[in-house]
Amino acid sequence: MTAPSRPSHLRRAGFHAFNAAVVLAVLVLADERFIHWTASCAFGFVWLVELARRHHPPTQRVVLRSLAPVVRPHERASITSGTWFVSALFVLAHWAPMEARLVGVAVIGFGDPLASLVGRRFGRGELWGRSLAGSATMAVVAALVAGVVAWSAGLPIAERAAWVAIASVLAELLSRRGLDDNLFVPIAAAAAWLVA
């Protein structure tokens, strides 16, 4: 049996960004009741699938086959990044106001894949296992996202952009396989938005 291949980084980044764009559209267009209901149903569904994967091999095979283009090898035996992302959406939907939700989703949806692509292409130095180029990319994207949301809401831009950038980079640096950045980065970005 051959070892599972790694997904294409570009394909995975595109999948990441597409999912974030869909979530952002739902957040902007839907009412609160629909957002809460959808986030709760998605949360329950992904965790039921994770449980089924552990105890029902046919479910594991179906999930891995359907996610083959984007799943990383270590996710085959652990919780997927998608499950952590949906878990973060559940937290944001039930805790954060709209602007903080938008910031959290956009930072993880666009900042994380761009940081990964830039880090792999240009990364030389490392900081806690992450490339400096990737971390700088995450900071820039997080600051831009926070700046755009702050500008559209008529709020001060610089302070919010700085706080969100710092929190996003720290959350990514402190995340490891057991503590997935798809859970912690959006929550940290949203929390930084609120305290700025």
Side-chain angles (χ1 to χ4, degrees), residues 108-126:
I108 192 62
F110 305 117
D112 186 49
L114 275 173
S116 177
L117 291 172
V118 169
R120 289 178 189 284
R121 177 70 177 92
F122 301 105
R124 296 292 183 267
E126 274 196 8

Side-chain angles (χ1 to χ4, degrees), residues 90-111:
F90 175 79
V91 172
L92 294 178
H94 291 283
W95 157 73
M98 183 56 71
E99 289 88 1
R101 292 176 193 164
L102 295 173
V103 167
V105 172
V107 167
I108 192 62
F110 305 117

Side-chain angles (χ1 to χ4, degrees), residues 106-112 114-115 136-147 164-165:
V107 167
I108 192 62
F110 305 117
D112 186 49
L114 275 173
T137 301
M138 172 62 89
V140 168
V141 172
L144 286 172
V145 164
V164 170

Side-chain angles (χ1 to χ4, degrees), residues 23-46:
V23 170
L24 290 169
V26 170
L27 289 174
V28 169
L29 299 174
D31 63 19
E32 280 297 302
R33 188 173 178 182
F34 182 81
I35 290 169
H36 290 171
W37 181 82
T38 305
S40 298
C41 289
F43 178 79
F45 174 76
V46 296

